[in-house]
Amino acid sequence: MSSVLDLARPDLRALDPYVPGAYEPGMIRLNANESPWRAPGDTTERGLNVYPPPRPFALRDRLAAHYGAPPEEILVTRGSSEAIDILIRGFCRAGQDDILICPPTFDMYRVYATIQAAGIVRVPLLRREGRFELDTPAVLDALGGRVKIVFLCTPNNPTGQSIPPADVEAVCAAASGRALVVIDEAYHEFASTNYLDLRRRYEHVVLLRTLSKFVSLAGVRCGAVVAAREVVEYLGNVLPPYTFPTPSIELVLEALRDDSLRVSAERIAVIKRERERLAQALRDVPDVLEVYPSDANFILVRTRDSALFRGAAHRAGILVRTFADPAVADCVRITVGRPEDNDRLLEAVARTERP
Ligand SMILES: Cc1ncc(COP(=O)(O)O)c(C=O)c1O
């Protein structure tokens, strides 16, 4: 019977993973060459003088409950960026396999593929009626051959729109037995889509989630892969033990308590409200030609001159993002901030001056 791991690198499937030393609370640890004393200022519960657990199992279990997936189908990573890296390293042989991306999209797919010497097949998004759309027939045509991973980012960074679920489903159905489909849901909590059901139905579908956005923990670097159990086990051959730091584990567990999640939910509601207000107000800015719809915590606008727009924001002490990709070279991506930050931005760009 065929398995999703037939898509994995054969050399890595055979790898004997590192066996970490035992950790048993209450025992004197003379097995891991650690310091027996805590460092000054170490206020963590576990103690930073000892290694973190090889995998953050308590955190994994809590995330599993939060996402509604079995713990064995979750791998905690240092940001979802690390998840992108280990998926590419685990499934693409250098010089032999490709990833497929739909630009303009999150640029780290390209970067990690290049580091791994994997090829990159690009199927650009189509610009249609004020939105960017997946070219689904072209993605389906490009499947097969060397493509081992299709990255679908929804909502997409930097365009902001979600891919229609029927299109995501069509790609997943067509890729079965041919490639992994990685659905990057970094902005899931600001949108209304959820691909857990698709993940359950297809063993080659992988979801990426992150704690960087919705629980205000970009600095902690916590992401997660949600994948079939054998994919998670296999990725354990690529991701070494002890990568997830103790302070991050303890802070994320704190952020996933019910009372903390209530605060996050209120903040998400504020961001969504501000997203609509900001989008509406940006439509009245003379230098803004188009405001793209957004299901994320940012808005992409097409401007008369993106450098000029960025300069006006900068003079008011605000950083916004511009891009080299020609499809969005005249665009600016604006993260939705606090109401007062958004007001300040609107004021700054309302009177954009030409040099
Ligand atoms: C679409 C997308 N995926 C993944 C990431 C990586 O996020 P992190 O590594 O912070 O989890 C980002 C960051 O902005 C993103 O926009």
Side-chain angles (χ1 to χ4, degrees), residues 99-106 120-128 131-142 150-153 156-159 161 163 167 171 325-328:
I99 66 160
L100 185 154
I101 58 173
C102 303
T105 192
F106 186 48
I120 303 172
V121 175
R122 292 178 172 83
V123 179
L125 296 175
L126 302 170
R127 231 175 102 186
R128 275 207 191 119
R131 18 185 339 117
F132 287 83
E133 290 184 1
L134 191 72
D135 188 348
T136 309
V139 173
L140 300 189
D141 277 353
V150 177
F151 282 97
L152 296 180
C153 184
N156 184 46
N157 177 11
T159 57
Q161 294 103 65
I163 303 171
D167 292 12
V171 174
D325 183 331
V328 280

Side-chain angles (χ1 to χ4, degrees), residues 79-81 84 106 109 153 157 184 186-187 210 212-213 221-223:
S80 49
S81 305
I84 296 165
F106 186 48
Y109 311 135
C153 184
N157 177 11
D184 186 339
Y187 300 95
T210 180
S212 292
K213 320 288 175 183
R221 309 303 301 125
C222 180

Side-chain angles (χ1 to χ4, degrees), residues 3 123 127 159 170 179 193 198 206 220 225 240 254 282-283 315 327 336 344-345 355:
S3 145
V123 179
R127 231 175 102 186
T159 57
T193 47
L198 215 53
V206 174
V220 150
V225 176
E254 190 75 15
L282 284 165
R283 287 194 183 94
R315 281 192 294 281
V336 180
R344 187 156 163 179
L345 175 89

